[in-house]
Amino acid sequence: MKLEDNKGQGGGQTSSRKRAASDSKRDGCPNDRKKSKDGKNDKTDVTVGKNTANHSSCEQSQRPLQEPKITSSANLKAATIETKATDAGITPSSGNNDTGLSKVIESGERRGAKMELQEIDLFGPIEHSDTERSQNKSKKSVDSKKDDKHKHKPKSSQRGDHRKDEKKVRELSANCSKSNSETKKSKDSCKKDCMRTGDVKKENVKENTKTDRAKKKSGNDKKPIAEKKRKREPDRQDSNKKIKKGGEMEEKKNKAKKAAKTEDDSKWKWWEEDNSNNGKKWSTLEHKGPLFPPEYEPLPDNVCFVYNGKPMKLSLAAEEVATFYGKMLDHEYTTKSVFQENFFNDWREEMTKEEREQINKLSKCDFSHINKYFLEKSEEKKAMTKEQKLVLKEENIQLTEEYGFCLLDGHREKIGNFRVEPPGLFRGRGEHPKMGKLKKRILPEDITINCSKASKIPEAPKGHKWRKVQHDDAVTWLASWVENVQGNFKYIMLNPSSKLKGEKDWQKYEMARKLKLKVDTIRRLYREDWKSREMKTRQRGVAIYFIDKLALRAGNEKEEGETADTVGCCSLRVEHITLHEKKGSQEFVVEFDFLGKDSIRYYNEVPVETRVFRNLKLFMENKGPEDDLFDRISTTYLNKHLNQSMPGLSAKVFRTFNASTTLQDQLNKLTTADMTLEESLLSYNRANRAVAILCNHQRAAPKTFEKSMQNMLDKIAQKQQQLDVAKKELKEAKREHKKAGNERTRKLVEKKEAAVKRLEEQMKRLQLQMTDKEENKVIALGTSKLNYLDPRISVAWCKKFNVPIEKIYNKTQREKFAWAIDMTEEDFQF
């Protein structure tokens, strides 16, 4: 293989350059301070030498020519100088190019070429000074070893000693198919060129490939360096991004922890203060008033109401009420005759005289266009981008910050429902007789504001004024109004986590604990009432018995036909109970069947004491099915009597007492210290379920219940397959260990045993979750947990059995019961 001369491009052949680099001493190279003919330092030679030296490598001189690497700077530099010299009319001589090069570089164009060459060397190493060369001289042998170790790596430049062993150069040259004469010739030529320019840059040439040599001349040899640089950059960027992201996540966590700690430290621990305020609920109260719903936006022109097949433009008030019905068109309420009748009557009152004359039948009204419009609006809202949803969220946060907090006795407290309910159609629960009636828009003129005298009175919306502003520190509400459907008062109250709500809860549960001390006396008294000669006293005794034993609500007095047909203990009718002297294996059974609160059916078969059974027979004599069972007593009379037995006692306290007592007894019975976390949680839910059944807290089975149960069964089946495979592998491992009996097989057996144990625990956990889900199908656990169960029972149980409180109470519930969580120890008993 022949090496061609590269005359005019920096000197002779590649092998001669290597000889020149090997023969010259680095610390005293004549090229370093070579002078031109005019006696001045040849800046061109030094510059060119520096640029080429930056891209040179002695390591590459030892690499076999079978692994060539295209050199970047030397060829491009020389080619550029030659081209520019030719353009200037200067022809460099073959023997000595100093004169021509000096003339070219003295011009501004040649200086531009020099700058261009320097830009190419951005990735080259810094050249050593003479002092550094002397200091590095002693490291020659170490560098040589490193060169041998790394000679297989393609590097574009390398710092180090350019003096190489001539023997190694000859060995490298021997690998080529070059003639000795050509090699000597190229060495001599290269040596002369190096003496002129100080260029010790080596050049790799591929075998018999003229195309590659052309690429080297054109400067394409810098591509591998640039490609390497570009390849490394994304990795570095990704790594930097990951580090930055990880740092941001850690910083966010730390901020969240600090914020939570600060919030805990700044939280008002009102339960640690002296609360003797002589009936006053607060000393100072300041707030911004309620937040009103937005005004009605008319329907677009392309959405119309149709009556009797013809489009009709309604007045603004009538159109707004029509949209309430149109939104509910797919709801079952709109299929009920009571709902339709109440809606149509109230709607006609909002119509103009002309509209009332024209619209006289609901059956001829077509709300489908309105319904379609609002369905599309709903879909648009669901299809909002993340950024749009974030904007809405930020707006809601700002409104909450402005209207959702108040200052109570100098402390910032959260308000529960600071928004005024928008207008709409009343639904009610169950078969409510007023369903479908119009709930009118609440105006500031309907609202009474309650705040302290010294505070800033909330400003009413522009153009409006409050109905009344008062300063009553004996009540806990911030604003109130009367709704038009049932005439009930509506209130804006503080959040359940506030001091006023927390104090009320605490007092409620303390009253229930006091009842525990006197319940035996009260039970003895109402048993004596069963034998009284006065019918009123007998009815009172039986009613208190039902409230105590069955945790029935007392029942509130109400006007006939005004609300749904729901009843409590004192409002039971003859038709609601059936007496069975013997039913199955039980005697004196009372069958209850009526609608309780929220129209939830209460059905129960309860064996009662003989005197209670006989008294019920007496109460039902000469009465029709719709007559009251306890016709001599009322809820007010009953609570008054209970208050005489114990100050503060009412029928509701019995309900709280029985619920909390049941939870405490069930937890003591069902929980043991050796239970796992999942088993403990199942025990707690079962205790809570017993309370929910006692209090008749039912719910309809969720629509997704069957699907979720099927998913749970699939998970269990999949886990069982994994467990079977693991057991089989364990059996094989034990068999192998029995044969070999070495350390490897022993560790394998231990590993398989651990896997089987882990899968068995996971299987057990899934089975417990499925059992819990099945048992809670129609039972609502949340109502009793929030309203009837003393939270200190749950907190003490969690602390005693090392159950995280988060497993029992969510964040909102933990805020509500912060007083109980803070003050309760594990030995608390209700």
Side-chain angles (χ1 to χ4, degrees):
M1 182 176 68
K2 294 182 178 181
L3 297 177
E4 295 182 359
D5 289 333
N6 292 322
K7 293 179 181 181
Q9 297 183 15
Q13 298 167 346
T14 304
S15 58
S16 64
R17 288 187 176 188
K18 296 171 184 174
R19 287 289 301 272
S22 176
D23 294 339
S24 64
K25 291 185 179 180
R26 184 158 185 177
D27 58 345
C29 182
N31 299 329
D32 291 341
R33 287 172 174 77
K34 186 176 180 345
K35 294 187 177 181
S36 60
K37 291 181 179 181
D38 55 1
K40 297 181 180 180
N41 289 336
D42 193 341
K43 296 181 181 179
T44 305
D45 293 345
V46 174
T47 305
V48 174
K50 181 183 293 185
N51 288 331
T52 55
N54 287 346
H55 287 276
S56 66
S57 173
C58 290
E59 292 180 10
Q60 289 183 345
S61 67
Q62 296 183 35
R63 190 183 307 118
L65 290 182
Q66 285 82 352
E67 291 183 70
K69 180 68 178 180
I70 300 174
T71 313
S72 61
S73 178
N75 293 333
L76 181 61
K77 167 185 70 59
T80 305
I81 293 175
E82 183 182 5
T83 303
K84 292 186 180 291
T86 304
D87 293 342
I90 301 170
T91 305
S93 63
S94 59
N96 193 339
N97 294 336
D98 287 351
T99 304
L101 290 173
S102 300
K103 289 179 180 180
V104 172
I105 296 176
E106 284 299 321
S107 67
E109 291 181 342
R110 304 291 82 76
R111 283 194 293 272
K114 182 174 68 174
M115 294 299 295
E116 189 176 345
L117 291 174
Q118 290 176 348
E119 290 179 0
I120 297 174
D121 271 338
L122 289 176
F123 306 117
I126 300 173
E127 185 179 3
H128 289 288
S129 64
D130 292 346
T131 306
E132 290 172 331
R133 290 192 184 100
S134 300
Q135 292 174 349
N136 292 337
K137 189 175 181 181
S138 60
K139 301 180 181 179
K140 180 180 64 174
S141 59
V142 178
D143 292 340
S144 299
K145 292 180 181 179
K146 290 182 179 179
D147 291 342
D148 291 338
K149 188 182 295 184
H150 298 287
K151 68 181 180 179
H152 64 282
K153 296 183 180 179
K155 296 184 181 179
S156 59
S157 61
Q158 181 78 20
R159 274 185 287 180
D161 194 351
H162 290 273
R163 292 176 298 145
K164 295 297 176 182
D165 197 327
E166 190 175 18
K167 182 180 179 180
K168 293 182 179 179
V169 177
R170 284 198 300 270
E171 289 176 356
L172 178 64
S173 302
N175 293 333
C176 305
S177 60
K178 299 296 183 182
S179 63
N180 292 334
S181 60
E182 288 178 341
T183 303
K184 288 180 180 180
K185 183 179 178 180
S186 62
K187 286 180 181 178
D188 295 335
S189 177
C190 182
K191 183 175 181 180
K192 288 180 181 181
D193 181 67
C194 291
M195 293 293 291
R196 284 194 308 269
T197 63
D199 186 4
V200 292
K201 177 68 182 160
K202 59 91 185 170
E203 179 181 359
N204 293 328
V205 183
K206 289 188 176 181
E207 292 182 32
N208 299 326
T209 310
K210 294 181 180 181
T211 305
D212 292 339
R213 287 197 298 271
K215 285 183 180 179
K216 284 184 278 183
K217 291 177 184 180
S218 64
N220 289 340
D221 54 337
K222 67 179 180 179
K223 182 178 178 182
I225 304 173
E227 284 181 353
K228 278 182 168 182
K229 184 74 176 177
R230 285 194 296 270
K231 286 179 182 178
R232 287 196 297 267
E233 285 301 321
D235 295 338
R236 292 173 183 171
Q237 292 175 3
D238 293 342
S239 177
N240 292 338
K241 284 181 181 179
K242 288 179 180 178
I243 294 171
K244 187 177 180 181
K245 189 175 181 181
E248 290 176 354
M249 292 291 290
E250 190 66 26
E251 187 177 356
K252 286 181 180 179
K253 288 181 180 179
N254 293 335
K255 284 184 178 179
K257 288 179 181 179
K258 289 181 181 178
K261 187 176 180 181
T262 304
E263 186 178 353
D264 291 339
D265 294 340
S266 62
K267 202 166 187 178
W268 184 16
K269 295 187 177 182
W270 49 264
W271 52 90
E272 296 180 354
E273 300 176 1
D274 182 16
N275 296 317
S276 55
N277 48 18
N278 299 324
K280 291 184 178 181
K281 303 296 183 181
W282 45 263
S283 299
T284 60
L285 176 62
E286 184 175 341
H287 57 92
K288 291 207 67 173
L291 177 63
F292 291 91
E295 295 294 329
Y296 171 68
E297 294 183 7
L299 293 173
D301 295 334
N302 62 334
V303 180
C304 59
F305 165 73
V306 178
Y307 183 75
N308 202 17
K310 297 179 181 179
M312 181 176 177
K313 186 65 177 176
L314 298 173
S315 62
L316 204 62
E319 182 183 276
E320 182 180 10
V321 180
T323 59
F324 299 156
Y325 192 89
K327 291 176 183 178
M328 297 179 62
L329 205 59
D330 298 330
H331 202 284
E332 62 176 350
Y333 273 104
T334 56
T335 63
K336 298 179 180 180
S337 58
V338 176
F339 188 93
Q340 294 174 355
E341 184 180 352
N342 288 333
F343 159 73
F344 193 66
N345 291 337
D346 285 2
W347 185 30
R348 283 177 61 83
E349 292 180 5
E350 301 297 320
M351 295 178 186
T352 62
K353 184 178 179 181
E354 294 78 12
E355 290 170 342
R356 279 195 293 270
E357 291 176 355
Q358 188 173 354
I359 302 174
N360 46 40
K361 284 187 178 181
L362 183 63
S363 59
K364 294 183 179 181
C365 298
D366 183 3
F367 300 92
S368 59
H369 296 279
I370 297 174
N371 178 260
K372 182 180 177 182
Y373 170 73
F374 283 105
L375 285 177
E376 290 174 354
K377 293 278 286 184
S378 178
E379 292 299 323
E380 288 177 5
K381 190 173 182 180
K382 292 178 182 178
M384 288 173 65
T385 62
K386 187 177 180 180
E387 291 75 17
Q388 292 172 327
K389 291 179 180 178
L390 185 62
V391 171
L392 290 178
K393 184 178 179 181
E394 290 176 351
E395 291 176 357
N396 288 329
I397 290 174
Q398 291 177 358
L399 290 174
T400 302
E401 286 295 319
E402 184 177 0
Y403 292 93
F405 293 89
C406 70
L407 282 176
L408 181 76
D409 295 342
H411 295 274
R412 192 168 183 257
E413 291 278 59
K414 195 172 182 180
I415 301 174
N417 54 328
F418 60 88
R419 299 175 189 269
V420 174
E421 189 178 7
L425 300 180
F426 180 75
R427 303 186 185 188
R429 296 182 182 271
E431 300 298 325
H432 201 287
K434 291 191 175 182
M435 66 170 68
K437 291 188 72 65
L438 175 64
K439 294 189 296 182
K440 295 183 178 180
R441 184 179 291 272
I442 303 299
L443 300 175
E445 287 75 11
D446 303 319
I447 293 179
T448 299
I449 296 293
N450 188 36
C451 60
S452 55
K453 290 181 180 180
S455 67
K456 182 181 178 181
I457 297 175
E459 294 182 4
K462 191 174 181 180
H464 295 273
K465 63 180 181 178
W466 304 119
R467 174 179 175 271
K468 182 182 177 183
V469 177
Q470 68 179 42
H471 314 288
D472 189 356
D473 56 9
V475 297
T476 59
W477 52 267
L478 284 62
S480 70
W481 64 92
V482 179
E483 54 93 16
N484 65 291
V485 176
Q486 299 188 89
N488 295 333
F489 277 93
K490 296 287 185 179
Y491 299 98
I492 289 181
M493 309 286 284
L494 292 181
N495 189 270
S497 61
S498 65
K499 173 193 174 183
L500 297 182
K501 291 288 187 180
E503 279 184 338
K504 191 175 180 180
D505 284 343
W506 190 7
Q507 293 168 3
K508 177 176 68 175
Y509 295 121
E510 282 299 304
M511 182 61 66
R513 293 185 77 195
K514 289 179 182 178
L515 175 58
K516 184 179 181 181
L517 302 175
K518 291 194 173 184
V519 70
D520 292 336
T521 303
I522 295 172
R523 285 169 177 170
R524 178 176 54 81
L525 291 174
Y526 70 61
R527 287 174 184 275
E528 292 178 358
D529 290 343
W530 297 345
K531 301 177 286 185
S532 176
R533 304 180 72 176
E534 187 179 1
M535 182 64 71
K536 186 176 183 178
T537 306
R538 286 197 180 195
Q539 288 187 4
R540 183 185 69 196
V542 174
I544 296 175
Y545 168 77
F546 283 157
I547 290 171
D548 181 20
K549 183 178 178 63
L550 304 178
L552 295 181
R553 292 182 176 88
N556 297 319
E557 295 176 319
K558 56 189 178 182
E559 297 181 13
E560 187 69 23
E562 288 298 312
T563 58
D565 186 20
T566 57
V567 298
C569 182
C570 294
S571 53
L572 283 171
R573 297 194 295 270
V574 173
E575 61 184 344
H576 294 144
I577 68 170
T578 306
L579 303 179
H580 304 279
E581 291 195 4
K582 190 170 184 179
K583 188 168 186 180
S585 59
Q586 296 176 329
E587 294 183 344
F588 307 119
V589 176
V590 181
E591 180 183 347
F592 292 89
D593 192 358
F594 61 88
L595 292 180
K597 185 181 179 182
D598 298 335
S599 296
I600 296 176
R601 183 190 180 192
Y602 181 90
Y603 181 85
N604 200 1
E605 295 178 356
V606 185
V608 297
E609 298 188 26
T610 308
R611 282 194 179 274
V612 173
F613 190 85
R614 290 175 182 173
N615 278 322
L616 288 173
K617 270 191 173 182
L618 182 61
F619 301 158
M620 296 172 67
E621 287 180 358
N622 302 321
K623 289 183 181 178
E626 296 182 357
D627 292 333
D628 289 335
L629 180 65
F630 302 108
D631 57 335
R632 305 290 179 94
I633 63 173
S634 64
T635 304
T636 306
Y637 166 75
L638 190 65
N639 284 330
K640 186 177 180 181
H641 171 75
L642 291 173
N643 189 62
Q644 291 174 354
S645 302
M646 188 185 89
L649 181 62
S650 65
K652 189 174 182 179
V653 178
F654 270 98
R655 192 171 171 84
T656 305
F657 160 74
N658 281 301
S660 296
T661 302
T662 302
L663 178 69
Q664 186 74 76
D665 294 342
Q666 291 293 314
L667 288 178
N668 294 341
K669 185 189 300 182
L670 298 175
T671 317
T672 57
D674 59 345
M675 283 184 169
T676 63
L677 177 61
E678 289 73 23
E679 291 173 334
S680 298
L681 291 175
L682 180 61
S683 298
Y684 181 87
N685 286 338
R686 282 178 170 166
N688 194 0
R689 193 175 303 117
V691 176
I693 293 171
L694 174 70
C695 297
N696 195 41
H697 293 151
Q698 302 180 35
R699 65 170 182 175
K703 295 180 180 179
T704 59
F705 178 78
E706 296 299 332
K707 184 178 180 180
S708 60
M709 287 298 291
Q710 185 59 48
N711 291 339
M712 191 74 72
L713 289 171
D714 293 342
K715 287 181 180 179
I716 291 175
Q718 184 179 3
K719 193 65 65 178
Q720 185 63 52
Q721 291 179 356
Q722 296 175 1
L723 182 59
D724 293 340
V725 172
K727 286 182 176 178
K728 187 176 180 181
E729 292 177 351
L730 174 60
K731 191 175 181 180
E732 293 176 356
K734 286 182 176 179
R735 188 183 302 114
E736 184 180 353
H737 179 61
K738 192 174 182 180
K739 293 179 180 178
N742 53 34
E743 183 68 16
R744 182 187 66 82
T745 57
R746 185 185 64 80
K747 288 184 177 180
L748 182 62
V749 169
E750 291 177 353
K751 182 179 179 181
K752 296 301 180 183
E753 286 177 343
V756 169
K757 185 178 179 181
R758 183 174 63 253
L759 288 171
E760 287 177 342
E761 290 175 352
Q762 292 173 355
M763 171 68 77
K764 186 177 181 180
R765 192 179 303 121
L766 286 173
Q767 290 172 341
L768 290 172
Q769 290 174 359
M770 189 180 73
T771 302
D772 196 24
K773 198 176 191 69
E774 177 66 35
E775 292 177 355
N776 290 334
K777 180 179 180 180
V778 293
I779 300 296
L781 301 181
T783 308
S784 56
K785 187 188 292 186
L786 288 177
N787 300 302
Y788 296 104
L789 300 178
D790 191 332
R792 292 171 292 184
I793 302 172
S794 301
V795 173
W797 178 83
C798 287
K799 291 181 177 180
K800 184 176 181 180
F801 294 100
N802 297 319
V803 176
I805 194 69
E806 295 81 8
K807 297 290 185 180
I808 304 300
Y809 292 128
N810 58 33
K811 183 180 178 182
T812 303
Q813 294 165 345
R814 293 196 300 273
E815 291 175 353
K816 174 181 171 68
F817 297 131
W819 58 272
I821 295 172
D822 185 69
M823 68 168 59
T824 308
E825 300 297 334
E826 66 176 44
D827 58 348
F828 174 86
Q829 290 286 315
F830 181 76

